[in-house]
Amino acid sequence: MSLSQQIKQQVVQRMPGLLKLPVNLVPFAMQRPVLEMALNRLLAEAVEEGDLDFLESRWAAIHVRDLEKRWFITNHAGHLQVASSALRHDVCFSGDLNDFVLLMGRQQDPDTLFFQRRLVIEGDTQLGLEIKNLLDNIDYDDMPKLVSQLLSVASEWVMNAQEPETSFTPEKAKA
Protein backbone atom coordinates (compact mmCIF):
# COMPACT_ATOMS: atom_id res chain seq x y z
CA MET A 1 0.00 0.00 0.00
CA SER A 2 1.39 3.38 -1.00
CA LEU A 3 1.98 6.18 1.48
CA SER A 4 -0.85 8.17 -0.15
CA GLN A 5 -3.25 5.26 0.33
CA GLN A 6 -2.15 4.84 3.95
CA ILE A 7 -2.76 8.54 4.64
CA LYS A 8 -6.21 8.41 3.02
CA GLN A 9 -7.08 5.31 5.04
CA GLN A 10 -6.01 7.02 8.28
CA VAL A 11 -8.05 10.13 7.43
CA VAL A 12 -11.13 8.00 6.70
CA GLN A 13 -10.74 5.97 9.89
CA ARG A 14 -10.19 9.03 12.10
CA MET A 15 -12.72 11.41 10.51
CA PRO A 16 -15.71 10.38 12.66
CA GLY A 17 -13.68 10.92 15.82
CA LEU A 18 -12.39 14.25 14.57
CA LEU A 19 -15.87 15.47 13.59
CA LYS A 20 -17.70 14.19 16.67
CA LEU A 21 -16.75 17.03 19.00
CA PRO A 22 -17.37 19.95 16.61
CA VAL A 23 -20.66 18.48 15.34
CA ASN A 24 -21.89 18.08 18.89
CA LEU A 25 -20.61 21.51 19.99
CA VAL A 26 -22.10 23.54 17.14
CA PRO A 27 -25.44 24.82 18.45
CA PHE A 28 -28.45 23.36 16.70
CA ALA A 29 -29.63 26.92 15.98
CA MET A 30 -26.64 27.16 13.61
CA GLN A 31 -27.03 23.64 12.17
CA ARG A 32 -30.73 23.91 11.42
CA PRO A 33 -30.73 26.63 8.73
CA VAL A 34 -27.81 24.99 6.90
CA LEU A 35 -29.39 21.54 6.97
CA GLU A 36 -32.81 22.84 5.95
CA MET A 37 -31.39 24.93 3.11
CA ALA A 38 -29.38 21.96 1.82
CA LEU A 39 -32.29 19.50 2.04
CA ASN A 40 -34.80 21.88 0.50
CA ARG A 41 -32.44 22.74 -2.32
CA LEU A 42 -31.49 19.13 -3.03
CA LEU A 43 -35.09 17.92 -2.85
CA ALA A 44 -36.81 21.00 -4.34
CA GLU A 45 -38.14 19.15 -7.37
CA ALA A 46 -39.42 16.23 -5.26
CA VAL A 47 -41.15 18.61 -2.84
CA GLU A 48 -42.65 20.62 -5.71
CA GLU A 49 -43.98 17.48 -7.40
CA GLY A 50 -45.49 16.20 -4.14
CA ASP A 51 -43.08 13.28 -3.90
CA LEU A 52 -42.50 14.10 -0.23
CA ASP A 53 -46.15 14.41 0.77
CA PHE A 54 -45.81 11.03 2.50
CA LEU A 55 -43.59 12.76 5.08
CA GLU A 56 -46.19 15.42 5.94
CA SER A 57 -46.64 15.43 9.75
CA ARG A 58 -44.37 12.38 10.06
CA TRP A 59 -40.83 12.30 11.36
CA ALA A 60 -37.78 10.49 10.03
CA ALA A 61 -34.73 10.27 12.27
CA ILE A 62 -31.19 10.15 10.92
CA HIS A 63 -28.84 8.67 13.50
CA VAL A 64 -25.11 8.86 12.78
CA ARG A 65 -23.94 6.34 15.34
CA ASP A 66 -20.23 7.13 15.48
CA LEU A 67 -20.96 10.87 15.81
CA GLU A 68 -23.60 10.11 18.46
CA LYS A 69 -25.86 12.56 16.67
CA ARG A 70 -29.51 12.47 15.56
CA TRP A 71 -31.48 14.81 13.36
CA PHE A 72 -35.22 14.61 12.79
CA ILE A 73 -36.78 15.57 9.46
CA THR A 74 -40.38 16.26 8.48
CA ASN A 75 -42.27 17.88 5.64
CA HIS A 76 -44.43 20.75 6.82
CA ALA A 77 -46.47 22.71 4.29
CA GLY A 78 -44.12 21.85 1.42
CA HIS A 79 -40.96 22.73 3.33
CA LEU A 80 -38.54 20.23 4.85
CA GLN A 81 -37.83 21.01 8.47
CA VAL A 82 -35.09 19.68 10.71
CA ALA A 83 -35.33 19.32 14.48
CA SER A 84 -32.79 18.32 17.11
CA SER A 85 -35.37 16.25 18.97
CA ALA A 86 -38.86 14.95 18.48
CA LEU A 87 -41.42 13.47 20.83
CA ARG A 88 -41.63 10.54 18.45
CA HIS A 89 -40.31 9.47 15.11
CA ASP A 90 -41.94 7.16 12.61
CA VAL A 91 -38.76 5.71 11.11
CA CYS A 92 -35.07 5.86 11.96
CA PHE A 93 -32.10 5.35 9.66
CA SER A 94 -28.95 4.48 11.62
CA GLY A 95 -25.45 4.10 10.28
CA ASP A 96 -21.89 5.25 10.65
CA LEU A 97 -20.64 8.46 9.06
CA ASN A 98 -18.59 6.70 6.40
CA ASP A 99 -21.59 4.62 5.31
CA PHE A 100 -23.69 7.77 4.89
CA VAL A 101 -20.80 9.29 2.90
CA LEU A 102 -20.79 6.22 0.64
CA LEU A 103 -24.55 6.52 0.23
CA MET A 104 -24.51 10.25 -0.59
CA GLY A 105 -21.49 9.85 -2.87
CA ARG A 106 -23.26 7.09 -4.83
CA GLN A 107 -20.54 4.54 -4.03
CA GLN A 108 -23.10 2.28 -2.28
CA ASP A 109 -26.84 2.01 -2.58
CA PRO A 110 -29.14 1.84 0.47
CA ASP A 111 -30.10 -1.80 -0.23
CA THR A 112 -26.48 -2.97 -0.17
CA LEU A 113 -25.77 -1.15 3.08
CA PHE A 114 -29.02 -2.48 4.57
CA PHE A 115 -28.28 -6.10 3.65
CA GLN A 116 -24.74 -5.75 5.01
CA ARG A 117 -26.35 -4.47 8.25
CA ARG A 118 -24.40 -1.23 8.00
CA LEU A 119 -27.59 0.80 7.52
CA VAL A 120 -30.39 -0.02 9.93
CA ILE A 121 -33.97 1.03 9.27
CA GLU A 122 -36.31 0.80 12.26
CA GLY A 123 -39.94 1.77 12.65
CA ASP A 124 -42.53 2.19 9.92
CA THR A 125 -41.12 0.01 7.15
CA GLN A 126 -43.42 1.45 4.48
CA LEU A 127 -42.24 4.97 5.29
CA GLY A 128 -38.65 3.73 5.35
CA LEU A 129 -39.06 2.20 1.88
CA GLU A 130 -40.54 5.42 0.52
CA ILE A 131 -37.58 7.40 1.87
CA LYS A 132 -35.12 4.81 0.55
CA ASN A 133 -36.72 5.00 -2.90
CA LEU A 134 -36.52 8.79 -2.75
CA LEU A 135 -32.79 8.54 -1.92
CA ASP A 136 -32.32 6.27 -4.93
CA ASN A 137 -33.91 8.88 -7.20
CA ILE A 138 -32.22 12.05 -5.96
CA ASP A 139 -30.50 13.98 -8.73
CA TYR A 140 -27.22 14.81 -7.07
CA ASP A 141 -26.33 16.97 -10.06
CA ASP A 142 -28.59 19.61 -8.47
CA MET A 143 -26.11 20.04 -5.63
CA PRO A 144 -23.66 22.92 -5.72
CA LYS A 145 -20.58 21.82 -7.66
CA LEU A 146 -18.24 22.17 -4.66
CA VAL A 147 -20.47 19.99 -2.46
CA SER A 148 -20.82 17.42 -5.23
CA GLN A 149 -17.05 17.31 -5.74
CA LEU A 150 -16.36 17.00 -2.00
CA LEU A 151 -18.85 14.14 -1.71
CA SER A 152 -17.35 12.43 -4.72
CA VAL A 153 -13.80 12.64 -3.34
CA ALA A 154 -14.85 11.70 0.20
CA SER A 155 -16.88 8.70 -0.94
CA GLU A 156 -14.03 7.48 -3.16
CA TRP A 157 -11.62 7.75 -0.22
CA VAL A 158 -14.03 5.84 2.03
CA MET A 159 -14.60 3.17 -0.61
CA ASN A 160 -10.86 2.74 -1.21
CA ALA A 161 -10.03 2.75 2.51
CA GLN A 162 -12.44 0.00 3.45
CA GLU A 163 -10.79 -3.01 4.95
CA PRO A 164 -10.24 -5.82 2.46
CA GLU A 165 -12.07 -8.17 4.86
CA THR A 166 -15.36 -6.42 4.00
CA SER A 167 -15.30 -7.78 0.48
CA PHE A 168 -15.67 -11.43 -0.53
CA THR A 169 -13.18 -13.08 -2.82
CA PRO A 170 -12.84 -16.76 -3.72
CA GLU A 171 -9.32 -16.72 -2.26
CA LYS A 172 -10.72 -15.77 1.16
CA ALA A 173 -13.27 -18.58 0.98
CA LYS A 174 -10.44 -21.10 0.59
CA ALA A 175 -8.52 -19.74 3.57
Side-chain angles (χ1 to χ4, degrees):
M1 183 183 304
S2 73
L3 179 60
S4 172
Q5 289 171 316
Q6 289 176 356
I7 291 170
K8 288 177 183 178
Q9 188 171 32
Q10 288 295 315
V11 169
V12 167
Q13 289 173 352
R14 293 181 181 179
M15 192 55 62
L18 295 172
L19 289 177
K20 184 177 176 180
L21 184 62
V23 165
N24 285 294
L25 285 179
V26 172
F28 181 71
M30 292 175 69
Q31 293 177 20
R32 182 180 186 166
V34 173
L35 291 170
E36 286 182 356
M37 180 185 68
L39 284 171
N40 282 292
R41 181 172 176 172
L42 180 62
L43 298 170
E45 186 177 321
V47 170
E48 189 175 299
E49 293 176 0
D51 293 344
L52 282 165
D53 289 352
F54 66 85
L55 199 52
E56 184 78 33
S57 302
R58 301 180 81 190
W59 289 92
I62 306 295
H63 178 206
V64 184
R65 292 185 299 240
D66 50 358
L67 295 185
E68 297 177 8
K69 191 69 177 171
R70 287 180 195 254
W71 292 277
F72 300 86
I73 303 165
T74 191
N75 180 9
H76 181 71
H79 180 78
L80 293 172
Q81 295 181 339
V82 179
S84 61
S85 63
L87 294 175
R88 63 163 181 76
H89 59 271
D90 299 287
V91 66
C92 180
F93 289 80
S94 299
D96 289 335
L97 175 64
N98 287 334
D99 292 323
F100 283 113
V101 169
L102 288 171
L103 182 68
M104 295 300 294
R106 297 285 199 187
Q107 292 288 337
Q108 291 283 340
D109 63 275
D111 288 331
T112 300
L113 293 173
F114 175 76
F115 287 117
Q116 292 176 351
R117 296 192 173 132
R118 293 165 50 193
L119 177 65
V120 177
I121 305 169
E122 298 174 308
D124 184 331
T125 54
Q126 180 63 32
L127 180 61
L129 285 173
E130 290 182 76
I131 293 171
K132 183 200 76 66
N133 291 336
L134 179 72
L135 290 173
D136 285 338
N137 294 317
I138 290 176
D139 186 3
Y140 290 95
D141 293 334
D142 291 342
M143 282 193 276
K145 189 170 181 139
L146 178 62
V147 173
S148 178
Q149 289 172 337
L150 284 172
L151 267 177
S152 179
V153 169
S155 64
E156 286 177 28
W157 281 30
V158 171
M159 191 68 164
N160 293 329
Q162 288 183 336
E163 296 296 324
E165 297 87 44
T166 61
S167 60
F168 174 82
T169 62
E171 293 78 30
K172 289 181 187 174
K174 292 177 186 175

